[in-house]
Amino acid sequence: MGGVFSAEQKAYWLPVEVDRPWQDVWTSSPFARMIAKGNASLETTVDTALRSAFAAGAFALILQSIIFKAGDGVEYLQYLTDLTLVLGCAGSLFGFALHLCLRFLPSLSQSEKTSQQPWYAATIWVFKTVGVDVTFFTFLLFWLLVYSPENYTTSLSLYKTSLWHGVIWVCLLFEWIFATDLPFRPQHVIYSVGWGIIYLFISLIHYGVTGGYIYAVLDWGGAPGLAAGLFLIILFVALPLLHAGHLGLLYVTRGCAESAAGAAVSSGGEAKAEREKSKTSKRDLEAATSGAAAAAAGGQ
């Protein structure tokens, strides 16, 4: 293994290098392979159906978020929950658009088969990684520290807050499990941490402009030490732990899907071989019967 800055290690830190032609990564998934059982055409169709379902869910989530918070104006983009929802949904939608382009635009799908992804595919990869990590973080943070039953007394208020603090994470996680063939690498936690650093500057700029805070626990005027300490814990403890949890979960679920897909392909191949063997035996029997009949007729 080379050093941290060697070409070999950069391939794992940067969202560029995949383990096969990059076009294949965006047009297949473990679950589709499991369903298709070696049928390439069915695999592509199932993969498209899965990706379209998750893209539709992402579009519905972001549309409802905009509708419900239309009155907030520019303040909509000051909250970590809303910013990350937009980022995660963008990853799903742009990823689906790239999948369709690879399927139906020959100039793109038939371009050079290399494991080096172009910049737009790498960007979507980052969006999807950050989206699933940070939406889970906001989900935990809200329900453990912020949620108070007296503030959510109607069905509509519970529905809206559940969309933003739970449903979006579940959708993004399930997309990673069922409809994504991108690697989920431990080194890519740096992008989730980077997103946290970006939000750190957003909160500081908000304080500098308004003198107030976005979240009470991030009060740079009243309790700067608490705000700084909380950010350090989030960036260097919470997000790496959440990323490691997603890494373990995807390792298990994808491993199970790949094992099932391999078993299905193997059993399908064995069944096909048995059918061919049966056909050959039948032809041999018919030939032997015909030969015996001809010999009997010649003897008469």
Side-chain angles (χ1 to χ4, degrees):
M1 298 291 288
V4 173
F5 298 104
S6 67
E8 182 182 2
Q9 285 300 305
K10 284 180 181 179
Y12 289 96
W13 289 91
L14 299 177
V16 176
E17 186 78 27
V18 290
D19 55 1
R20 57 186 180 280
W22 73 271
Q23 295 92 333
D24 297 348
V25 170
W26 293 94
T27 53
S28 182
S29 57
F31 193 73
R33 286 193 291 276
M34 183 178 68
I35 296 295
K37 299 179 180 179
N39 186 322
S41 177
L42 178 60
E43 179 183 331
T44 305
T45 301
V46 170
D47 187 57
T48 299
L50 288 170
R51 291 175 187 270
S52 63
F54 286 112
F59 180 75
L61 282 168
I62 198 169
L63 183 63
Q64 290 183 82
S65 177
I66 292 171
I67 291 172
F68 287 138
K69 295 197 173 186
D72 292 351
V74 294
E75 292 183 0
Y76 172 79
L77 294 178
Q78 72 180 3
Y79 297 105
L80 180 63
T81 300
D82 299 323
L83 284 171
T84 308
L85 183 145
V86 171
L87 187 76
C89 289
S92 292
L93 293 170
F94 289 142
F96 181 56
L98 178 57
H99 169 81
L100 292 179
C101 289
L102 286 167
R103 277 207 65 186
F104 300 110
L105 292 180
S107 59
L108 185 60
S109 61
Q110 296 173 9
S111 59
E112 182 184 359
K113 299 291 184 179
T114 174
S115 60
Q116 294 280 332
Q117 294 195 111
W119 66 268
Y120 46 86
T123 302
I124 297 170
W125 189 357
V126 171
F127 282 7
K128 292 169 78 68
T129 301
V130 173
V132 74
D133 279 348
V134 183
T135 54
F136 185 48
F137 171 74
T138 57
F139 161 74
L140 289 178
L141 201 65
F142 175 81
W143 292 105
L144 292 176
L145 301 179
V146 178
Y147 175 73
S148 178
E150 58 268 20
N151 295 330
Y152 301 91
T153 56
T154 67
S155 298
L156 180 60
S157 63
L158 282 172
Y159 171 75
K160 290 191 293 185
T161 199
S162 297
L163 284 181
W164 303 319
H165 306 101
V167 173
I168 176 61
W169 168 66
V170 171
C171 288
L172 295 178
L173 177 63
F174 278 17
E175 184 180 10
W176 267 102
I177 293 173
F178 295 109
T180 303
D181 222 9
L182 287 165
F184 195 88
R185 292 178 176 149
Q187 295 91 335
H188 289 182
V189 69
I190 61 172
Y191 301 111
S192 297
V193 172
W195 182 246
I197 293 172
I198 290 173
Y199 193 74
L200 165 64
F201 284 105
I202 290 175
S203 69
L204 286 170
I205 292 170
H206 181 276
Y207 169 69
V209 172
T210 68
Y213 53 78
I214 302 172
Y215 297 104
V217 293
L218 299 178
D219 184 0
W220 295 103
L226 175 63
L230 183 60
F231 256 112
L232 288 174
I233 294 172
I234 290 171
L235 294 177
F236 301 111
V237 179
L239 287 176
L241 286 176
L242 294 179
H243 189 82
H246 284 139
L247 181 69
L249 179 62
L250 288 168
Y251 178 82
V252 172
T253 55
R254 286 181 168 185
C256 291
E258 291 290 5
S259 297
V265 171
S266 177
S267 62
E270 290 173 359
K272 183 178 179 181
E274 285 296 326
R275 288 195 298 269
E276 292 297 328
K277 183 179 179 181
S278 177
K279 289 179 182 179
T280 301
S281 299
K282 185 177 180 180
R283 285 195 298 268
D284 291 344
L285 179 60
E286 289 175 350
T289 303
S290 300
Q300 292 176 358

Short mmCIF file of all heavy atoms in Angstrom, two decimals, residues 211-275:
data_model
loop_
_atom_site.label_atom_id
_atom_site.label_comp_id
_atom_site.label_asym_id
_atom_site.label_seq_id
_atom_site.Cartn_x
_atom_site.Cartn_y
_atom_site.Cartn_z
N GLY A 211 -26.86 39.00 13.81
CA GLY A 211 -26.63 39.06 15.24
C GLY A 211 -27.36 37.98 16.01
O GLY A 211 -27.23 37.88 17.24
N GLY A 212 -28.14 37.16 15.32
CA GLY A 212 -28.90 36.09 15.96
C GLY A 212 -28.34 34.72 15.61
O GLY A 212 -27.23 34.60 15.10
N TYR A 213 -29.13 33.70 15.89
CA TYR A 213 -28.69 32.34 15.61
C TYR A 213 -29.76 31.59 14.83
O TYR A 213 -30.94 31.97 14.82
CB TYR A 213 -28.39 31.59 16.91
CG TYR A 213 -29.52 31.61 17.93
CD1 TYR A 213 -30.63 30.77 17.80
CD2 TYR A 213 -29.47 32.47 19.03
CE1 TYR A 213 -31.65 30.78 18.72
CE2 TYR A 213 -30.50 32.50 19.96
CZ TYR A 213 -31.59 31.65 19.81
OH TYR A 213 -32.60 31.67 20.72
N ILE A 214 -29.34 30.53 14.16
CA ILE A 214 -30.28 29.67 13.43
C ILE A 214 -30.86 28.63 14.37
O ILE A 214 -32.07 28.40 14.40
CB ILE A 214 -29.57 28.98 12.24
CG1 ILE A 214 -28.98 30.03 11.30
CG2 ILE A 214 -30.53 28.06 11.49
CD1 ILE A 214 -28.10 29.44 10.20
N TYR A 215 -29.98 27.99 15.13
CA TYR A 215 -30.39 27.03 16.16
C TYR A 215 -29.88 27.54 17.50
O TYR A 215 -28.76 28.05 17.60
CB TYR A 215 -29.80 25.64 15.87
CG TYR A 215 -30.28 25.02 14.59
CD1 TYR A 215 -29.47 24.98 13.46
CD2 TYR A 215 -31.56 24.45 14.50
CE1 TYR A 215 -29.90 24.40 12.28
CE2 TYR A 215 -32.00 23.86 13.33
CZ TYR A 215 -31.17 23.84 12.22
OH TYR A 215 -31.61 23.27 11.06
N ALA A 216 -30.67 27.34 18.55
CA ALA A 216 -30.30 27.87 19.87
C ALA A 216 -28.98 27.30 20.38
O ALA A 216 -28.23 27.99 21.08
CB ALA A 216 -31.42 27.57 20.87
N VAL A 217 -28.69 26.06 20.04
CA VAL A 217 -27.43 25.45 20.50
C VAL A 217 -26.22 25.98 19.74
O VAL A 217 -25.08 25.70 20.11
CB VAL A 217 -27.50 23.91 20.36
CG1 VAL A 217 -28.52 23.33 21.31
CG2 VAL A 217 -27.79 23.50 18.93
N LEU A 218 -26.46 26.73 18.67
CA LEU A 218 -25.38 27.33 17.89
C LEU A 218 -25.42 28.85 18.01
O LEU A 218 -25.40 29.59 17.03
CB LEU A 218 -25.47 26.91 16.41
CG LEU A 218 -25.38 25.41 16.13
CD1 LEU A 218 -25.55 25.14 14.64
CD2 LEU A 218 -24.05 24.85 16.63
N ASP A 219 -25.51 29.30 19.24
CA ASP A 219 -25.58 30.74 19.54
C ASP A 219 -24.15 31.28 19.69
O ASP A 219 -23.55 31.22 20.77
CB ASP A 219 -26.39 30.96 20.82
CG ASP A 219 -26.58 32.44 21.12
OD1 ASP A 219 -26.08 33.28 20.33
OD2 ASP A 219 -27.23 32.75 22.13
N TRP A 220 -23.63 31.83 18.58
CA TRP A 220 -22.25 32.32 18.60
C TRP A 220 -22.09 33.59 19.43
O TRP A 220 -20.98 33.94 19.84
CB TRP A 220 -21.77 32.58 17.17
CG TRP A 220 -21.69 31.34 16.35
CD1 TRP A 220 -22.56 30.92 15.39
CD2 TRP A 220 -20.66 30.34 16.42
NE1 TRP A 220 -22.16 29.71 14.86
CE2 TRP A 220 -21.00 29.34 15.47
CE3 TRP A 220 -19.52 30.18 17.19
CZ2 TRP A 220 -20.21 28.21 15.28
CZ3 TRP A 220 -18.73 29.05 17.01
CH2 TRP A 220 -19.08 28.08 16.06
N GLY A 221 -23.19 34.27 19.69
CA GLY A 221 -23.10 35.48 20.52
C GLY A 221 -23.22 35.17 22.00
O GLY A 221 -22.47 35.68 22.82
N GLY A 222 -24.17 34.31 22.36
CA GLY A 222 -24.42 34.02 23.77
C GLY A 222 -23.55 32.92 24.34
O GLY A 222 -23.17 32.98 25.52
N ALA A 223 -23.26 31.90 23.55
CA ALA A 223 -22.46 30.78 24.05
C ALA A 223 -21.55 30.26 22.94
O ALA A 223 -21.75 29.16 22.42
CB ALA A 223 -23.39 29.66 24.56
N PRO A 224 -20.54 31.03 22.58
CA PRO A 224 -19.66 30.62 21.47
C PRO A 224 -18.87 29.35 21.78
O PRO A 224 -18.60 28.55 20.88
CB PRO A 224 -18.72 31.82 21.31
CG PRO A 224 -18.75 32.52 22.63
CD PRO A 224 -20.14 32.33 23.15
N GLY A 225 -18.49 29.15 23.04
CA GLY A 225 -17.75 27.94 23.39
C GLY A 225 -18.58 26.69 23.18
O GLY A 225 -18.08 25.68 22.66
N LEU A 226 -19.84 26.76 23.58
CA LEU A 226 -20.76 25.62 23.39
C LEU A 226 -20.95 25.34 21.90
O LEU A 226 -20.92 24.18 21.46
CB LEU A 226 -22.10 25.91 24.04
CG LEU A 226 -23.20 24.87 23.81
CD1 LEU A 226 -22.80 23.52 24.40
CD2 LEU A 226 -24.53 25.35 24.40
N ALA A 227 -21.14 26.39 21.11
CA ALA A 227 -21.35 26.22 19.67
C ALA A 227 -20.11 25.60 19.02
O ALA A 227 -20.22 24.67 18.21
CB ALA A 227 -21.67 27.57 19.03
N ALA A 228 -18.93 26.09 19.38
CA ALA A 228 -17.69 25.56 18.80
C ALA A 228 -17.47 24.11 19.22
O ALA A 228 -17.10 23.26 18.41
CB ALA A 228 -16.50 26.43 19.22
N GLY A 229 -17.69 23.83 20.50
CA GLY A 229 -17.52 22.46 20.99
C GLY A 229 -18.48 21.49 20.33
O GLY A 229 -18.11 20.36 19.97
N LEU A 230 -19.72 21.93 20.15
CA LEU A 230 -20.72 21.08 19.50
C LEU A 230 -20.33 20.79 18.06
O LEU A 230 -20.46 19.65 17.59
CB LEU A 230 -22.09 21.76 19.56
CG LEU A 230 -23.26 20.96 18.96
CD1 LEU A 230 -23.43 19.63 19.70
CD2 LEU A 230 -24.54 21.77 19.02
N PHE A 231 -19.85 21.80 17.37
CA PHE A 231 -19.42 21.58 15.98
C PHE A 231 -18.26 20.60 15.91
O PHE A 231 -18.20 19.74 15.02
CB PHE A 231 -19.03 22.90 15.32
CG PHE A 231 -20.08 23.41 14.37
CD1 PHE A 231 -20.79 24.55 14.65
CD2 PHE A 231 -20.37 22.73 13.19
CE1 PHE A 231 -21.76 25.03 13.78
CE2 PHE A 231 -21.33 23.19 12.31
CZ PHE A 231 -22.03 24.33 12.61
N LEU A 232 -17.32 20.68 16.83
CA LEU A 232 -16.19 19.75 16.83
C LEU A 232 -16.66 18.31 17.05
O LEU A 232 -16.18 17.38 16.39
CB LEU A 232 -15.18 20.14 17.93
CG LEU A 232 -14.36 21.40 17.66
CD1 LEU A 232 -13.51 21.75 18.89
CD2 LEU A 232 -13.46 21.22 16.43
N ILE A 233 -17.61 18.14 17.95
CA ILE A 233 -18.16 16.80 18.20
C ILE A 233 -18.89 16.27 16.97
O ILE A 233 -18.74 15.11 16.59
CB ILE A 233 -19.09 16.82 19.43
CG1 ILE A 233 -18.29 17.13 20.69
CG2 ILE A 233 -19.83 15.49 19.57
CD1 ILE A 233 -19.15 17.35 21.92
N ILE A 234 -19.67 17.14 16.35
CA ILE A 234 -20.42 16.74 15.16
C ILE A 234 -19.48 16.33 14.03
O ILE A 234 -19.65 15.28 13.40
CB ILE A 234 -21.35 17.89 14.70
CG1 ILE A 234 -22.49 18.09 15.70
CG2 ILE A 234 -21.90 17.60 13.31
CD1 ILE A 234 -23.31 19.33 15.44
N LEU A 235 -18.48 17.17 13.79
CA LEU A 235 -17.60 16.96 12.64
C LEU A 235 -16.69 15.75 12.80
O LEU A 235 -16.48 15.00 11.84
CB LEU A 235 -16.76 18.22 12.39
CG LEU A 235 -17.52 19.47 11.97
CD1 LEU A 235 -16.55 20.64 11.83
CD2 LEU A 235 -18.26 19.26 10.66
N PHE A 236 -16.15 15.58 14.00
CA PHE A 236 -15.08 14.59 14.16
C PHE A 236 -15.47 13.36 14.98
O PHE A 236 -14.66 12.45 15.15
CB PHE A 236 -13.85 15.27 14.76
CG PHE A 236 -13.34 16.39 13.90
CD1 PHE A 236 -13.45 17.70 14.33
CD2 PHE A 236 -12.79 16.13 12.65
CE1 PHE A 236 -12.99 18.75 13.52
CE2 PHE A 236 -12.33 17.17 11.85
CZ PHE A 236 -12.43 18.47 12.29
N VAL A 237 -16.70 13.34 15.47
CA VAL A 237 -17.18 12.16 16.20
C VAL A 237 -18.48 11.65 15.59
O VAL A 237 -18.56 10.50 15.13
CB VAL A 237 -17.38 12.45 17.70
CG1 VAL A 237 -17.91 11.20 18.42
CG2 VAL A 237 -16.08 12.91 18.34
N ALA A 238 -19.51 12.49 15.59
CA ALA A 238 -20.84 12.04 15.17
C ALA A 238 -20.88 11.61 13.70
O ALA A 238 -21.33 10.49 13.38
CB ALA A 238 -21.86 13.15 15.43
N LEU A 239 -20.43 12.47 12.79
CA LEU A 239 -20.50 12.14 11.37
C LEU A 239 -19.65 10.93 11.00
O LEU A 239 -20.11 10.06 10.25
CB LEU A 239 -20.12 13.36 10.53
CG LEU A 239 -21.17 14.47 10.48
CD1 LEU A 239 -20.66 15.68 9.71
CD2 LEU A 239 -22.48 13.96 9.87
N PRO A 240 -18.40 10.80 11.49
CA PRO A 240 -17.65 9.57 11.19
C PRO A 240 -18.34 8.31 11.71
O PRO A 240 -18.32 7.27 11.04
CB PRO A 240 -16.30 9.80 11.90
CG PRO A 240 -16.15 11.30 11.89
CD PRO A 240 -17.53 11.82 12.12
N LEU A 241 -18.96 8.38 12.90
CA LEU A 241 -19.66 7.21 13.42
C LEU A 241 -20.87 6.85 12.57
O LEU A 241 -21.13 5.67 12.28
CB LEU A 241 -20.10 7.46 14.87
CG LEU A 241 -18.99 7.43 15.93
CD1 LEU A 241 -19.55 7.81 17.29
CD2 LEU A 241 -18.34 6.05 15.99
N LEU A 242 -21.63 7.86 12.15
CA LEU A 242 -22.79 7.61 11.29
C LEU A 242 -22.36 7.03 9.95
O LEU A 242 -23.00 6.12 9.41
CB LEU A 242 -23.58 8.91 11.08
CG LEU A 242 -24.25 9.50 12.33
CD1 LEU A 242 -24.97 10.80 11.97
CD2 LEU A 242 -25.22 8.52 12.95
N HIS A 243 -21.29 7.56 9.40
CA HIS A 243 -20.78 7.05 8.12
C HIS A 243 -20.34 5.59 8.27
O HIS A 243 -20.61 4.76 7.39
CB HIS A 243 -19.60 7.90 7.65
CG HIS A 243 -19.14 7.60 6.27
ND1 HIS A 243 -19.76 8.11 5.14
CD2 HIS A 243 -18.12 6.83 5.81
CE1 HIS A 243 -19.14 7.66 4.05
NE2 HIS A 243 -18.14 6.88 4.43
N ALA A 244 -19.68 5.28 9.38
CA ALA A 244 -19.26 3.90 9.63
C ALA A 244 -20.47 2.98 9.76
O ALA A 244 -20.45 1.83 9.29
CB ALA A 244 -18.41 3.83 10.89
N GLY A 245 -21.54 3.46 10.38
CA GLY A 245 -22.76 2.67 10.49
C GLY A 245 -23.37 2.37 9.14
O GLY A 245 -23.78 1.23 8.85
N HIS A 246 -23.44 3.38 8.28
CA HIS A 246 -23.95 3.17 6.92
C HIS A 246 -23.05 2.21 6.14
O HIS A 246 -23.53 1.37 5.37
CB HIS A 246 -24.06 4.51 6.19
CG HIS A 246 -25.22 5.33 6.62
ND1 HIS A 246 -25.14 6.70 6.81
CD2 HIS A 246 -26.50 4.99 6.93
CE1 HIS A 246 -26.32 7.15 7.19
NE2 HIS A 246 -27.16 6.14 7.27
N LEU A 247 -21.74 2.35 6.34
CA LEU A 247 -20.79 1.48 5.66
C LEU A 247 -21.04 0.02 6.03
O LEU A 247 -21.09 -0.86 5.16
CB LEU A 247 -19.36 1.89 6.02
CG LEU A 247 -18.23 1.09 5.38
CD1 LEU A 247 -18.16 1.36 3.88
CD2 LEU A 247 -16.90 1.44 6.03
N GLY A 248 -21.20 -0.25 7.32
CA GLY A 248 -21.46 -1.61 7.76
C GLY A 248 -22.78 -2.15 7.26
O GLY A 248 -22.87 -3.31 6.81
N LEU A 249 -23.81 -1.32 7.31
CA LEU A 249 -25.13 -1.75 6.84
C LEU A 249 -25.11 -2.08 5.36
O LEU A 249 -25.66 -3.11 4.93
CB LEU A 249 -26.15 -0.65 7.13
CG LEU A 249 -27.59 -0.93 6.67
CD1 LEU A 249 -28.15 -2.15 7.38
CD2 LEU A 249 -28.47 0.30 6.93
N LEU A 250 -24.48 -1.23 4.56
CA LEU A 250 -24.43 -1.48 3.12
C LEU A 250 -23.55 -2.68 2.79
O LEU A 250 -23.84 -3.41 1.83
CB LEU A 250 -23.92 -0.22 2.40
CG LEU A 250 -24.91 0.94 2.35
CD1 LEU A 250 -24.24 2.21 1.88
CD2 LEU A 250 -26.07 0.61 1.43
N TYR A 251 -22.51 -2.89 3.56
CA TYR A 251 -21.65 -4.06 3.34
C TYR A 251 -22.46 -5.34 3.51
O TYR A 251 -22.36 -6.27 2.71
CB TYR A 251 -20.48 -4.03 4.32
CG TYR A 251 -19.56 -5.22 4.20
CD1 TYR A 251 -18.56 -5.25 3.23
CD2 TYR A 251 -19.68 -6.31 5.06
CE1 TYR A 251 -17.71 -6.34 3.10
CE2 TYR A 251 -18.83 -7.40 4.95
CZ TYR A 251 -17.85 -7.41 3.97
OH TYR A 251 -17.03 -8.49 3.86
N VAL A 252 -23.29 -5.38 4.55
CA VAL A 252 -24.09 -6.58 4.82
C VAL A 252 -25.19 -6.76 3.78
O VAL A 252 -25.36 -7.84 3.20
CB VAL A 252 -24.70 -6.51 6.24
CG1 VAL A 252 -25.69 -7.65 6.46
CG2 VAL A 252 -23.60 -6.56 7.29
N THR A 253 -25.96 -5.69 3.53
CA THR A 253 -27.10 -5.82 2.61
C THR A 253 -26.65 -6.08 1.19
O THR A 253 -27.24 -6.92 0.48
CB THR A 253 -27.97 -4.56 2.66
OG1 THR A 253 -27.16 -3.40 2.40
CG2 THR A 253 -28.63 -4.40 4.01
N ARG A 254 -25.61 -5.41 0.75
CA ARG A 254 -25.11 -5.64 -0.60
C ARG A 254 -24.48 -7.02 -0.73
O ARG A 254 -24.63 -7.68 -1.76
CB ARG A 254 -24.10 -4.56 -1.00
CG ARG A 254 -24.74 -3.22 -1.30
CD ARG A 254 -23.69 -2.21 -1.70
NE ARG A 254 -24.29 -1.02 -2.25
CZ ARG A 254 -23.60 -0.01 -2.77
NH1 ARG A 254 -22.28 -0.08 -2.80
NH2 ARG A 254 -24.20 1.04 -3.25
N GLY A 255 -23.81 -7.46 0.33
CA GLY A 255 -23.23 -8.80 0.30
C GLY A 255 -24.31 -9.86 0.16
O GLY A 255 -24.16 -10.82 -0.60
N CYS A 256 -25.41 -9.68 0.91
CA CYS A 256 -26.52 -10.63 0.81
C CYS A 256 -27.13 -10.62 -0.58
O CYS A 256 -27.45 -11.68 -1.15
CB CYS A 256 -27.58 -10.30 1.85
SG CYS A 256 -27.08 -10.59 3.56
N ALA A 257 -27.31 -9.42 -1.15
CA ALA A 257 -27.90 -9.31 -2.49
C ALA A 257 -26.99 -9.95 -3.54
O ALA A 257 -27.46 -10.66 -4.45
CB ALA A 257 -28.17 -7.85 -2.83
N GLU A 258 -25.69 -9.70 -3.42
CA GLU A 258 -24.75 -10.26 -4.40
C GLU A 258 -24.71 -11.79 -4.28
O GLU A 258 -24.63 -12.50 -5.28
CB GLU A 258 -23.35 -9.68 -4.19
CG GLU A 258 -23.23 -8.21 -4.55
CD GLU A 258 -23.31 -7.94 -6.04
OE1 GLU A 258 -23.57 -8.88 -6.82
OE2 GLU A 258 -23.14 -6.79 -6.44
N SER A 259 -24.76 -12.29 -3.03
CA SER A 259 -24.77 -13.75 -2.84
C SER A 259 -26.02 -14.36 -3.44
O SER A 259 -25.97 -15.40 -4.11
CB SER A 259 -24.69 -14.08 -1.35
OG SER A 259 -23.48 -13.61 -0.80
N ALA A 260 -27.17 -13.71 -3.21
CA ALA A 260 -28.42 -14.21 -3.77
C ALA A 260 -28.40 -14.15 -5.29
O ALA A 260 -28.87 -15.07 -5.97
CB ALA A 260 -29.59 -13.40 -3.23
N ALA A 261 -27.83 -13.06 -5.83
CA ALA A 261 -27.75 -12.93 -7.29
C ALA A 261 -26.85 -14.01 -7.87
O ALA A 261 -27.17 -14.64 -8.90
CB ALA A 261 -27.22 -11.55 -7.67
N GLY A 262 -25.71 -14.26 -7.21
CA GLY A 262 -24.81 -15.31 -7.69
C GLY A 262 -25.44 -16.68 -7.63
O GLY A 262 -25.29 -17.49 -8.55
N ALA A 263 -26.19 -16.94 -6.54
CA ALA A 263 -26.85 -18.24 -6.42
C ALA A 263 -27.93 -18.40 -7.48
O ALA A 263 -28.10 -19.48 -8.06
CB ALA A 263 -27.47 -18.36 -5.03
N ALA A 264 -28.66 -17.29 -7.77
CA ALA A 264 -29.71 -17.35 -8.78
C ALA A 264 -29.14 -17.62 -10.16
O ALA A 264 -29.66 -18.42 -10.93
CB ALA A 264 -30.51 -16.04 -8.78
N VAL A 265 -28.03 -16.92 -10.47
CA VAL A 265 -27.39 -17.13 -11.78
C VAL A 265 -26.86 -18.55 -11.89
O VAL A 265 -26.99 -19.22 -12.90
CB VAL A 265 -26.25 -16.11 -11.98
CG1 VAL A 265 -25.45 -16.46 -13.23
CG2 VAL A 265 -26.82 -14.71 -12.10
N SER A 266 -26.26 -19.03 -10.78
CA SER A 266 -25.70 -20.39 -10.77
C SER A 266 -26.78 -21.44 -10.95
O SER A 266 -26.66 -22.36 -11.75
CB SER A 266 -24.95 -20.63 -9.46
OG SER A 266 -24.46 -21.94 -9.40
N SER A 267 -27.89 -21.28 -10.19
CA SER A 267 -28.98 -22.25 -10.31
C SER A 267 -29.63 -22.17 -11.67
O SER A 267 -30.02 -23.19 -12.25
CB SER A 267 -30.02 -22.00 -9.22
OG SER A 267 -30.60 -20.71 -9.35
N GLY A 268 -29.70 -20.95 -12.22
CA GLY A 268 -30.25 -20.80 -13.56
C GLY A 268 -29.37 -21.47 -14.59
O GLY A 268 -29.86 -22.13 -15.52
N GLY A 269 -28.05 -21.34 -14.42
CA GLY A 269 -27.13 -22.00 -15.35
C GLY A 269 -27.19 -23.50 -15.25
O GLY A 269 -27.14 -24.22 -16.25
N GLU A 270 -27.31 -23.99 -14.00
CA GLU A 270 -27.40 -25.44 -13.81
C GLU A 270 -28.69 -25.98 -14.41
O GLU A 270 -28.71 -27.06 -15.03
CB GLU A 270 -27.34 -25.76 -12.32
CG GLU A 270 -25.97 -25.51 -11.70
CD GLU A 270 -25.99 -25.69 -10.21
OE1 GLU A 270 -27.08 -25.98 -9.67
OE2 GLU A 270 -24.92 -25.54 -9.58
N ALA A 271 -29.79 -25.24 -14.22
CA ALA A 271 -31.06 -25.68 -14.79
C ALA A 271 -31.00 -25.71 -16.31
O ALA A 271 -31.51 -26.63 -16.96
CB ALA A 271 -32.19 -24.74 -14.33
N LYS A 272 -30.35 -24.67 -16.88
CA LYS A 272 -30.21 -24.63 -18.33
C LYS A 272 -29.37 -25.81 -18.82
O LYS A 272 -29.68 -26.44 -19.83
CB LYS A 272 -29.56 -23.31 -18.76
CG LYS A 272 -29.45 -23.15 -20.27
CD LYS A 272 -28.86 -21.80 -20.61
CE LYS A 272 -28.73 -21.64 -22.12
NZ LYS A 272 -28.13 -20.32 -22.47
N ALA A 273 -28.29 -26.11 -18.08
CA ALA A 273 -27.44 -27.23 -18.46
C ALA A 273 -28.21 -28.55 -18.39
O ALA A 273 -28.05 -29.42 -19.25
CB ALA A 273 -26.21 -27.28 -17.54
N GLU A 274 -29.04 -28.68 -17.36
CA GLU A 274 -29.84 -29.90 -17.22
C GLU A 274 -30.83 -30.03 -18.37
O GLU A 274 -31.06 -31.12 -18.89
CB GLU A 274 -30.60 -29.88 -15.89
CG GLU A 274 -29.72 -30.15 -14.67
CD GLU A 274 -29.15 -31.56 -14.70
OE1 GLU A 274 -29.83 -32.48 -15.20
OE2 GLU A 274 -28.01 -31.73 -14.25
N ARG A 275 -31.41 -28.89 -18.77
CA ARG A 275 -32.36 -28.93 -19.90
C ARG A 275 -31.64 -29.33 -21.18
O ARG A 275 -32.15 -30.13 -21.98
CB ARG A 275 -33.04 -27.56 -20.06
CG ARG A 275 -34.05 -27.23 -18.97
CD ARG A 275 -34.93 -26.06 -19.37
NE ARG A 275 -34.14 -24.83 -19.57
CZ ARG A 275 -33.90 -23.95 -18.61
NH1 ARG A 275 -34.35 -24.18 -17.38
NH2 ARG A 275 -33.22 -22.86 -18.85
#
